[in-house]
Amino acid sequence: MSMKKSWVESANSAATDFPLNNLPHGVFSVGDGDLRCGVAIGDRIVDATGLEAAGILRADPEADVLDTPFWNDFMELGPSAWYAYRQVLTMMLSEGMDEDVQDRVTACSVPMSEATLHLPFRVAEYTDFYAGRHHATNVGTMFRGPENALPPNWLSIPIGYNGRASSVMVSGTRVCRPWGQLKGPNDDLPRFAPSARFDFELELGAIVGQPSEGMVSVAMADAMIFGYVLLNDWSARDIQAWEYQPLGPFQAKATATTISPWIVTKAALEPFRISTPERERLLLPYLRETGPMLYDIDLEVALAPHGGAQTVIARTNYREMYYSAAQQLAHHTSSGCPMRVGDLLGSGTISGQSKDSRGSLLELSWGGKEPLNLNGGETRSFLEDGDTLTLRGAAHGKDYRVGFGACTGQIQPATELPGWAKE
Amino acid sequence: MSMKKSWVESANSAATDFPLNNLPHGVFSVGDGDLRCGVAIGDRIVDATGLEAAGILRADPEADVLDTPFWNDFMELGPSAWYAYRQVLTMMLSEGMDEDVQDRVTACSVPMSEATLHLPFRVAEYTDFYAGRHHATNVGTMFRGPENALPPNWLSIPIGYNGRASSVMVSGTRVCRPWGQLKGPNDDLPRFAPSARFDFELELGAIVGQPSEGMVSVAMADAMIFGYVLLNDWSARDIQAWEYQPLGPFQAKATATTISPWIVTKAALEPFRISTPERERLLLPYLRETGPMLYDIDLEVALAPHGGAQTVIARTNYREMYYSAAQQLAHHTSSGCPMRVGDLLGSGTISGQSKDSRGSLLELSWGGKEPLNLNGGETRSFLEDGDTLTLRGAAHGKDYRVGFGACTGQIQPATELPGWAKE
């Protein structure tokens, strides 16, 4: 597919994340102004809340759905409304549109450089999966040896656990190094200390845009997904090692989960659909895909020490996942679990096969044994205070990219320990 | 402490769960009427939404907080408001109150027998713990043998995992037997079938009534808790056995979690505070209690086959827990995880030491090997379709009880398998 041309000139650059083909949904504010729903186009944000209030573009003829600083009410309207809204907005922003429309839309838009971006939707619940084959194999090899790298259920179940929605934050929010119980292999007892093995995880997050009751097929699940964001599931490996048996990760993953500010809609990603990799074990019928449900999205991770230059430490692609978000969502409902608008599903860490395509420092530094070299001479096994971690992603068309914008977070030192927590 | 006498005669019976000492908070409707906040007193419900609208009793002089069918906005007001509201309501319902007040309150009340009860608060997020020593020992013995019954971290961490808030339902809602991936020890591959080992778990749920950012001490955590409900964490043991390694329970616990309809406030439970059992291993300072933070609450479980009589299958007490809800909540914040008003914390299964005090069928039937005998001649290893399971609980004063009401659920057969899920 080729680039769709817009009268917003900056949207016609091959370098922008936000051409007319994309139109991702976010929430922004300018100065001390209120939070508003917006759509990115080139270097501008169209004020969707303003367009609705002015009656220029409404998603629902009867009710305002963009008068809250979240896209949840819009998502509630369902796939037909999503489709119609995108059609009309695409038309209004297309090259050759009436000057009158151009003027009215321009009046309802702001330069992105003047805007602050906020969480684009109210996260109902957050589930994180473990659906990357290479990641699971790498981690399994480190913890259990190469013979037992993949758990026996891994090829049958898109393994997931419930995360903590309250800890989901938007790109740019600082991340405080967590305290936690740490116990080394030679320690008798745990101590309470700041995590010394604080890590990132490169993931894609799928946003559930329609609710469900009862079991949902993979095809129905795919139709329920509204869009995708980049997701960094910050993880304290040392807290996790001591706490995770028998009930899984808890405080190790509860400090923060950062998402990119723009929801790239499923509609924008349609041209980039690809199939999941060939199955090694036939899936049970409820998990079988009826079409291609992954996406060809290039991903990269960059690390910059405080005051230092960025180093790209990993490059990979979302196509590396063994299970699609639609399969994960279908499995999530298999017990009858109701899903809600605004549920967020983390893909699991996305690692490729090669060493430089691994989506976590745990893997990149092989458990800290092989520190990474950064530009400028520093090395890293795990994240250090002041480090800024940035995820980027884009699907590539012939002469355009559908990008996610950056997903960043800077590590702050652990807070001072309150008196009551001291020995 | 003795019974406080009310002019509502039914509240003065030693047999009622709802004397003036209790005043639990719930949500009710009558006929096709709207959902309203209410407070139980004897066999009546005081319409708190109505009292607020009429200006007779307001929690906040400025804003309505009971015009939504949830107690969340009320909880937001904080402990001083909770205290003041309880003081005034207690006075208004006390024996000897002016007849004029009695008439106005009576006009704003309904017989409980005419009301339908609903979920009393909007569940923000749900966390389930594993803090019962006897339960953990029993389950550990079955799965890993008596030498390794308790996981190494158990005496240091109130172990918990995030559950699924969307699956929390009020007492009386039917519970559908879940489908799931099942794999017996001798099977090569899993199959998709209705759970054959569907179980209950007797727990108490603590309701977080104040939000937090950053680490919270045990004393602060105790102050944040608004009240308690009975909680049944329905569990599919066969789904759990195959799915839970390495990231913990997921679909095994996502079908349903039933809570009792009345929030018994922390204030009502004050006279029944007791300490947690003696520590076998000294806790890290952030987890140490500064006072008694468990409660002496008698609990029982009854099972009735379809059309048959109830058998009480277990009797135990909340004092059996090794960790209090305050300790669990403090640990929950140790990584900096933000807590929200409406968060629900399951205590973990409450089992006593003796065989007839175990809080799950897994333990009562020792993994199905020792089926239970019910009145009427039937036996049970796990729950069967049509079974009704009822939890009850009450703290006992000299001549009164502070009760929770019943927490019930009846098991419905698994739904028919949709075509797309068939081989």
Side-chain angles (χ1 to χ4, degrees), chain A residues 365-413:
Chain A
S365 75
W366 207 250
K369 290 184 190 138
E370 303 169 16
L372 273 189
N373 295 311
L374 304 182
N375 303 336
E378 292 199 43
T379 61
R380 282 295 178 280
S381 293
F382 291 96
L383 295 168
E384 299 195 1
D385 293 345
D387 284 357
T388 297
L389 203 287
T390 303
L391 312 182
R392 287 197 185 82
H396 288 92
K398 193 166 72 70
D399 54 353
Y400 73 101
R401 47 189 278 141
V402 168
F404 286 75
C407 179
T408 75
Q410 189 180 25
I411 310 300
Q412 304 297 301

Side-chain angles (χ1 to χ4, degrees), chain B residues 70-105:
Chain B
F70 293 113
W71 283 88
N72 297 60
D73 290 352
F74 176 88
M75 290 194 275
E76 293 268 4
L77 299 177
S80 305
W82 310 341
Y83 177 80
Y85 189 86
R86 182 176 173 82
Q87 291 290 104
V88 179
L89 189 58
T90 300
M91 195 183 67
M92 290 170 88
L93 290 167
S94 287
E95 199 175 48
M97 178 45 49
D98 295 349
E99 296 233 340
D100 171 51
V101 173
Q102 291 192 27
D103 291 345
R104 291 167 75 192
V105 172

Side-chain angles (χ1 to χ4, degrees), chain A residues 125 164 166 251 332 338 343, chain B residues 125 164 166 251 332 335 338 343:
Chain A
E125 300 195 55
R164 181 77 196 174
S166 67
Q251 290 305 287
H332 209 320
D343 282 341
Chain B
E125 300 198 54
R164 182 77 197 173
S166 67
Q251 290 305 286
H332 209 320
S335 70
D343 282 341

Side-chain angles (χ1 to χ4, degrees), chain A residues 51-66:
Chain A
L51 286 182
E52 181 183 68
I56 298 171
L57 175 57
R58 299 186 61 83
D60 184 331
E62 305 292 328
D64 285 348
V65 294
L66 300 177

Side-chain angles (χ1 to χ4, degrees), chain A residues 125 153 156-157 162 164-166 179 181 215 217 242 245 251 255 286 288 332 335 338 343 420 423, chain B residues 125 153 156-157 162 164-166 179 181 215 217 242 245 251 255 286 288 332 335 338 340 343 420 423:
Chain A
E125 300 195 55
N153 54 12
S156 298
I157 303 180
N162 300 296
R164 181 77 196 174
S166 67
W179 287 83
Q181 288 200 19
M215 238 186 268
S217 71
W242 170 234
Q245 288 285 12
Q251 290 305 287
T255 303
Y286 82 99
R288 291 184 199 153
H332 209 320
S335 69
D343 282 341
W420 46 259
E423 196 68 54
Chain B
E125 300 198 54
N153 53 10
S156 297
I157 305 180
N162 300 296
R164 182 77 197 173
S166 67
W179 288 82
Q181 288 199 20
M215 239 186 268
S217 72
W242 170 233
Q245 286 287 12
Q251 290 305 286
T255 303
Y286 81 100
R288 290 181 201 154
H332 209 320
S335 70
R340 295 173 175 175
D343 282 341
W420 46 259
E423 197 69 54

